[in-house]
Amino acid sequence: MDNSDLFICIDHVGLAVPDLDEAIKFHTEVFGWRVLHREVNEEQGVAEAMMGTGAQLPENAQIQLLAPLNENSTIAKFIAKNGPGMQQLCYRVADIDAVSATLRERGVRLLYPEPKTGTGGARINFVHPKDAGGVLLELTQPGNADH
Ligand code: CMX
């Protein structure tokens, strides 16, 4: 795959938060963001909200607020170890299978053998932080649902 076809843009930056409603209140009242989408993803162990600015365009990155559903959640573990804060950076891709194959060819480990379901029905996978310079890197191929 050609490098120019790999990533489309930064889709979102994910913030680990202890309480979703409190985080939404803070980000709307203090920073002026608005809720674009909310959902619970049981498989990922998160309650999440995608936040956009008042002038949000489809190609503008969003903020993803991620709260743990239970103590076994990846987000609960992250907060216990690091406190609340930036948990992930997510790149949007057009074809996650092709991008995954290219990254694997280049020696990068993806966490799941096949993509799982993420926000709004997107197909997602993650590059381990040890293979991405210390950053948990999500890849997302958006679904057709509201995103
Ligand atoms: N960002 C950067 N580094 C991270 C990290 C993160 N979010 N999470 C873990 N690490 C680092 C740790 O600092 C640690 O490094 P050291 O060994 O140098 O201390 C190493 O990776 C292992 O960390 P750990 O605390 O032992 O964590 P685990 O191995 O149990 O889990 C990971 C790490 C990436 C496999 C796990 O977080 C994961 O599966 N993430 C993908 C799923 C996910 O994040 N889901 C929630 C979001 C859902 C969504 O976006 O839709």
Side-chain angles (χ1 to χ4, degrees):
M1 191 174 198
D2 195 78
N3 279 345
S4 59
D5 297 328
L6 219 50
F7 303 134
I8 297 172
C9 60
I10 295 175
D11 188 88
H12 62 264
V13 174
L15 308 183
V17 303
D19 182 285
L20 188 60
D21 288 326
E22 273 181 28
I24 289 174
K25 188 168 159 37
F26 174 75
H27 285 270
T28 52
E29 291 182 1
V30 178
F31 292 148
W33 290 81
R34 62 194 172 95
V35 177
L36 301 177
H37 177 83
R38 264 185 95 142
E39 73 179 74
V40 168
N41 186 329
E42 298 276 353
E43 187 179 32
Q44 290 293 329
V46 298
E48 60 168 274
M50 302 301 293
M51 312 292 290
T53 66
Q56 190 75 26
L57 298 170
E59 64 272 27
N60 291 157
Q62 299 177 10
I63 296 294
Q64 182 185 39
L65 303 176
L66 291 159
L69 283 183
N70 55 55
E71 67 203 20
N72 296 321
S73 164
T74 305
I75 299 302
K77 290 182 194 160
F78 179 90
I79 291 174
K81 191 171 173 186
N82 308 287
M86 207 176 290
Q87 189 256 352
Q88 58 165 269
L89 170 65
C90 178
Y91 294 154
R92 190 182 305 164
V93 302
D95 182 345
I96 196 168
D97 298 313
V99 172
S100 301
T102 300
L103 292 179
R104 286 188 175 111
E105 276 166 26
R106 295 178 183 184
V108 170
R109 286 167 300 166
L110 300 188
L111 292 186
Y112 310 135
E114 295 295 332
K116 292 186 184 279
T117 303
T119 311
R123 299 178 72 221
I124 63 167
N125 208 334
F126 294 85
V127 176
H128 194 280
K130 296 290 177 197
D131 283 2
V135 177
L136 175 61
L137 196 60
E138 180 179 356
L139 306 175
T140 184
Q141 177 183 330
N144 295 324
D146 168 35
H147 178 60

